[in-house]
Amino acid sequence: MKKYLILFIFLLSIGQITLAQDTVKQENYSFHFQQTIIAQDKPGFSAAYSGRNSLSPLAETQTSITSTFFGTARLWKGSQFIFDPELSGGAGLSQTLGIAGFPNGETFRVGGVQNKIYIARLFYQQTFEWGKEKDTLESDQLQLAGLRSKRYFSIGMGKFNMGDFFDQNSFSHDPRSQFMNWALMDNAAWDYPANTRGYVLGAYTELGQPTWTLRFAFTMNVTQANSSTWDAKIGKANTQTVEFEKRYTIGGQKGTLRILGFLNNGKFGNYEQAIALNSAAPNVDTTQAYGRHKVGFGVNADQYLTKDFGVFAKASYNDGHTQTWFFTEIDRSFTFGGVLKGTSWKRKDDEMGLGFIINGLSAPHRQYLADGGYGFLIGDGKLNYAPEMIAEFYYKFNAYQNKFFLSPDYQFIMNPAYNKDRGPVNVFSIRAHVEF
């Protein structure tokens, strides 16, 4: 932890250097940086039994780190080229096992704790515009500053994160600055396409209008659940995602409603077939075959009630017949909460958030776990089923000029991995985040 704090001090010092044309004028290039360190502590809890993928009932402390360099360039009119190398390291509690709504959104399902450098994004986008109404875009990690028509069509391809474009939310989307839990990052039952570090190869399109946006992505699959090898049989292994976003105002306050649908196709295993083959110890991996599908949807809304207070809610579902392939083992989810800025106590750049999560499984999925089956994330050897319920509270301090933030966080988890025989679990966290 000491070496991470030394690195933070160094980054804060160089952060005073202007790396981008930080202005609302037209940018032709920009450079941004972020680093996030999350330390989490879990006291011991009661557990009637444990399995291969269980959260350890012993007291435990783990730390994760991610560092990302964001490079963006405008090659010609309407173009944007993004190149983002990233470093990640550390680990989640119990090797990121044993909770479907995992409490650290910066920790992916990666086996090693050593720091690794990789290309997070390598993406080209071209935008075509028409009409006289303009929006002013500010410089951001994945966006060049400038004017853009409110009527446009964008198309792009390369390596990116689905959350860069889909399932956004003003209050519950980014574990580096908002809630940390996985189920509060995105619609949790959306098994969104990604490799084990959260990125995907594919193509993306977006049609923008003054009050609504329509998005579509066609992306590749990995060859095995939670892996990083891309399946070359694109005709048989692919995903399609579509989202409609409607922006509006209520009482002069901004709100957004998003409706998302997805279809994943690939070499997936089937829970019911695994149980039929071996009810004493089912293994869903042994039933994998091309021609399988996972279909689902998500509804995602955020609404400001005042300029300093807003609320959100998300509901999502997938059919739950085929095995979880990309994200986490959640087939139904409902989340809601609110975020309050610190203006009333003279800390206008601070904020506090309170969120609630209810996660569930399909009948075949829960029977598979009850019979002793394992997924890539959860599995206690047997199951006394109940919905996984989580509450999260955080307070984000603006520690230094809107560049360095500290966020203490608490999460209370009932029925971890849907098991009434284990828990409850308390997770205490501190997050340090720097960006410039």
Side-chain angles (χ1 to χ4, degrees):
M1 191 66 181
K2 182 179 178 181
K3 64 180 180 181
Y4 293 152
L5 292 176
I6 293 172
L7 183 56
F8 256 106
I9 295 170
F10 171 72
L11 292 172
L12 282 172
S13 65
I14 67 172
Q16 300 304 301
I17 302 172
T18 302
L19 294 180
Q21 308 165 40
D22 192 10
T23 171
V24 295
K25 296 180 180 179
Q26 188 93 343
E27 280 185 321
N28 290 321
Y29 64 91
S30 71
F31 303 101
H32 293 268
F33 179 85
Q34 80 81 30
Q35 184 177 86
T36 304
I37 298 171
I38 297 178
Q40 294 193 316
D41 179 80
K42 169 184 65 63
F45 64 93
S46 62
Y49 47 84
S50 296
R52 190 176 71 209
N53 287 355
S54 293
L55 186 74
S56 171
L58 304 177
E60 187 179 4
T61 300
Q62 293 289 354
T63 301
S64 67
I65 179 174
T66 63
S67 301
T68 315
F69 173 82
F70 300 88
T72 307
R74 193 188 311 275
L75 305 179
W76 47 78
K77 184 178 179 180
S79 70
Q80 186 166 273
F81 180 78
I82 296 171
F83 173 64
D84 298 347
E86 186 167 74
L87 174 147
S88 69
L93 298 169
S94 300
Q95 290 76 53
T96 322
L97 299 172
I99 308 175
F102 199 78
N104 183 349
E106 281 290 273
T107 298
F108 302 101
R109 290 89 50 206
V110 182
V113 299
Q114 65 274 21
N115 293 342
K116 294 285 187 180
I117 298 175
Y118 49 89
I119 296 174
R121 296 174 182 86
L122 185 62
F123 185 75
Y124 171 73
Q125 184 179 54
Q126 181 68 47
T127 300
F128 306 93
E129 306 178 27
W130 63 95
K132 296 181 179 180
E133 295 178 274
K134 302 289 184 180
D135 278 327
T136 299
L137 305 181
E138 297 184 359
S139 182
D140 205 348
Q141 292 173 349
L142 300 174
Q143 176 179 279
L144 293 170
L147 296 177
R148 185 186 66 188
S149 175
K150 291 186 176 182
R151 293 174 170 83
Y152 65 91
F153 176 74
S154 295
I155 185 167
M157 63 180 59
K159 187 178 184 183
F160 56 96
N161 181 291
M162 290 293 286
D164 296 340
F165 306 111
F166 291 87
D167 210 23
Q168 300 275 320
N169 190 286
S170 296
F171 310 114
S172 178
H173 185 63
D174 186 357
R176 294 169 178 171
S177 61
Q178 298 171 326
F179 295 98
M180 300 182 195
N181 194 281
W182 283 10
L184 289 169
M185 297 190 313
D186 300 292
N187 269 303
W190 175 28
D191 194 17
Y192 70 84
N195 63 11
T196 191
R197 296 190 184 276
Y199 299 97
V200 71
L201 295 175
Y204 162 80
T205 63
E206 180 173 290
L207 173 63
Q209 294 293 299
T211 62
W212 58 267
T213 304
L214 182 65
R215 305 179 178 92
F216 175 78
F218 182 93
T219 56
M220 294 181 66
N221 271 7
V222 289
T223 55
Q224 293 292 326
N226 185 41
S227 73
S228 291
T229 302
W230 300 106
D231 195 325
K233 297 181 179 179
I234 299 176
K236 296 180 178 180
N238 58 71
T239 74
Q240 294 109 59
T241 308
V242 63
E243 181 182 58
F244 177 76
E245 174 184 299
K246 175 63 177 177
R247 298 174 293 279
Y248 54 86
T249 59
I250 297 178
Q253 300 296 333
K254 293 180 179 180
T256 309
L257 174 67
R258 304 167 185 86
I259 300 174
L260 178 145
F262 68 93
L263 172 64
N264 298 345
N265 308 295
K267 191 180 178 181
F268 309 146
N270 180 278
Y271 293 121
E272 292 166 302
Q273 186 175 344
I275 295 168
L277 289 174
N278 185 355
S279 61
N283 183 350
V284 71
D285 289 342
T286 63
T287 67
Q288 290 175 359
Y290 285 109
R292 302 275 171 76
H293 315 282
K294 185 182 290 290
V295 64
F297 68 87
V299 180
N300 172 349
D302 58 63
Q303 178 66 55
Y304 279 93
L305 301 182
T306 71
K307 63 183 180 64
D308 294 319
F309 177 62
V311 294
F312 68 90
K314 305 178 188 179
S316 54
Y317 165 93
N318 71 62
D319 56 35
H321 294 292
T322 57
Q323 70 185 120
T324 303
W325 202 251
F326 302 109
F327 181 38
T328 187
E329 296 187 54
I330 298 173
D331 300 323
R332 296 93 171 87
S333 183
F334 177 66
T335 65
F336 64 96
V339 174
L340 176 66
K341 292 189 178 296
T343 305
S344 61
W345 58 93
K346 299 181 180 179
R347 294 282 303 177
K348 65 182 181 65
D349 295 316
D350 289 6
E351 68 179 37
M352 65 170 65
L354 179 63
F356 299 92
I357 302 165
I358 304 173
N359 297 325
L361 294 178
S362 67
H365 198 167
R366 71 179 73 166
Q367 186 62 53
Y368 172 78
L369 294 172
D371 288 347
Y374 289 93
F376 67 76
L377 188 71
I378 62 174
D380 298 320
K382 53 183 176 176
L383 180 67
N384 183 8
Y385 179 80
E388 185 179 78
M389 296 186 288
I390 304 171
E392 178 176 359
F393 173 82
Y394 75 89
Y395 187 99
K396 184 172 71 175
F397 292 96
N398 175 20
Y400 183 73
Q401 296 184 0
N402 281 318
K403 292 184 175 66
F404 178 39
F405 300 89
L406 288 172
S407 303
D409 181 282
Y410 169 69
Q411 297 179 56
F412 178 75
I413 304 167
M414 287 187 62
N415 311 320
Y418 312 99
N419 201 334
K420 286 193 288 187
D421 292 338
R422 313 186 85 249
V425 180
N426 297 281
V427 178
F428 301 90
S429 310
I430 182 71
R431 174 178 61 201
H433 173 71
V434 62
E435 62 181 45
F436 50 83

